[in-house]
Amino acid sequence: METVNSAQKDDMQNPGRDLSEQIKAATKEIHVRAENTQLMLSYQKGQITLPQYKLLLCSLYEIYKALEEEMDRNASHPGVAPIYFPQELARLETLERDLEHFFGQEWRKRVIIPAATHRYTQRLRKIGEGNPKLLVAHAYTRYLGDLSGGQILGKITQKSIGLSSGEGLSFFSFPGVSSPNRFKQLYRSRMNSIELTKEEREGVLEEAIMAFELNIQVFNDLQKMLSVTEEAYGDQEKAETPATIPSLSIVHLSLGICVALATVGMGIYVF
């Protein structure tokens, strides 16, 4: 995992700053690393492909399934309750709609996911059970990132892969949020109200760095998988309709299962 440099340690040891500001400062360097992965550079250039997007959705589903189940389970916890906005932010149902659009009703049997995604979900399960206050680091970096970059990335995706309608793009839509900017202000205010000891605050900042590192690992694993799956996709695409992909059994690597758009791209990380 990413080591904490001296500047990041200063942010962790400055209790006078808001938690949201501290997270932004502590993750500045690794944020740049995430933006410069091959997969994210493709997004920024508007060169995302259909196979890339489908694999991202598969991983995103597993990540958000773990995150939202742990948030639901800890909804009354004092470290979670202030930032618990399921009606406004929940992504699981939107991802299910997108996956069904591309994979069909049997999408759960046809998706493929990398080991890095499983490591991400394992981490979310672990802290949800043992230290729920750390969930704020993942919820903040993911939800506010998605909310910030959603409209822009949705348009990039639609144009890049040639979708004629909004189908397959539900993930980028937040119908429960009328004003993203106002909502982000509310979210930061609620987040900054969470009571944390000095040690707990340092733990949250370290967890935010870990969240970015886990995302980077997912991006890199997905890119490696594409070198295999794109060849199979290309061989079968001619004989199949645009809404289907080659039948792929669920991959349970030795560690297990899941996109991140693990928060996708530079836009999605702007919060």
Side-chain angles (χ1 to χ4, degrees):
M1 292 299 174
E2 186 77 0
T3 58
V4 180
N5 62 29
S6 59
Q8 291 168 336
K9 289 181 179 178
D10 288 341
D11 290 314
M12 294 177 181
Q13 295 170 0
N14 185 348
R17 296 181 62 182
D18 288 337
L19 180 61
S20 58
E21 292 180 358
Q22 287 184 299
I23 287 181
K24 188 172 184 178
T27 59
K28 183 177 180 179
E29 292 184 9
I30 197 167
H31 185 163
V32 174
R33 276 185 55 207
E35 291 174 359
N36 284 280
T37 58
Q38 186 175 349
L39 199 58
M40 294 305 98
L41 288 173
S42 294
Y43 237 107
Q44 294 170 42
K45 295 175 182 178
Q47 298 173 349
I48 192 75
T49 66
L50 185 57
Q52 283 177 320
Y53 182 55
K54 288 177 178 178
L55 286 176
L56 282 172
L57 289 176
C58 292
S59 279
L60 269 181
Y61 174 78
E62 292 296 334
I63 291 171
Y64 275 100
K65 184 173 187 291
L67 176 59
E68 293 181 0
E69 287 179 355
E70 294 306 319
M71 294 285 286
D72 290 345
R73 188 158 66 91
N74 292 285
S76 62
H77 189 282
V80 174
I83 58 161
Y84 185 64
F85 292 95
Q87 293 184 344
E88 292 84 358
L89 297 177
R91 298 290 84 201
L92 204 55
E93 289 186 6
T94 67
L95 286 162
E96 289 174 348
R97 288 197 296 271
D98 289 342
L99 287 166
E100 184 171 342
H101 172 72
F102 288 115
F103 290 75
Q105 293 184 351
E106 298 295 317
W107 62 266
R108 286 180 175 83
K109 298 178 181 180
R110 305 181 67 190
V111 299
I112 187 167
I113 44 188
T117 301
H118 178 59
R119 291 195 294 272
Y120 199 155
T121 63
Q122 280 188 318
R123 179 60 185 174
L124 291 168
R125 300 291 188 190
K126 181 178 180 179
I127 64 176
E129 180 177 354
N131 194 356
K133 284 188 175 182
L134 295 180
L135 288 171
V136 66
H138 295 273
Y140 175 63
T141 55
R142 299 201 60 82
Y143 285 126
L144 262 65
D146 296 342
L147 192 58
S148 296
Q151 289 187 337
I152 295 174
L153 290 171
K155 291 178 181 178
I156 291 175
T157 304
Q158 184 174 18
K159 183 177 180 180
S160 296
I161 62 181
L163 295 176
S164 58
S165 67
E167 292 186 340
L169 299 168
S170 297
F171 173 74
F172 300 106
S173 177
F174 288 81
V177 178
S178 58
S179 172
N181 287 334
R182 284 200 298 268
F183 184 83
K184 286 187 289 184
Q185 290 175 358
L186 170 64
Y187 194 96
R188 292 189 190 98
S189 176
R190 293 281 192 89
M191 174 182 169
N192 293 334
S193 73
I194 297 174
E195 294 186 4
L196 299 168
T197 65
K198 178 182 177 182
E199 291 73 21
E200 289 173 337
R201 183 175 291 256
E202 291 177 358
V204 169
L205 298 180
E206 290 173 354
E207 192 69 25
I209 295 171
M210 181 181 291
F212 274 88
E213 182 63 40
L214 289 167
N215 280 328
I216 290 170
Q217 292 177 15
V218 171
F219 296 154
N220 291 338
D221 265 20
L222 288 172
Q223 193 63 41
K224 291 176 184 176
M225 288 172 60
L226 282 167
S227 64
V228 176
T229 59
E230 283 189 318
E231 180 178 352
Y233 179 87
D235 291 341
Q236 296 190 35
E237 188 179 35
K238 297 177 182 178
E240 300 189 349
T241 64
T244 63
I245 67 164
S247 182
L248 297 170
S249 59
I250 294 180
V251 174
H252 290 278
L253 301 178
S254 59
L255 292 174
I257 320 179
C258 150
V259 146
L261 196 227
T263 315
V264 175
M266 180 173 66
I268 257 191
Y269 279 118
V270 178
F271 46 81

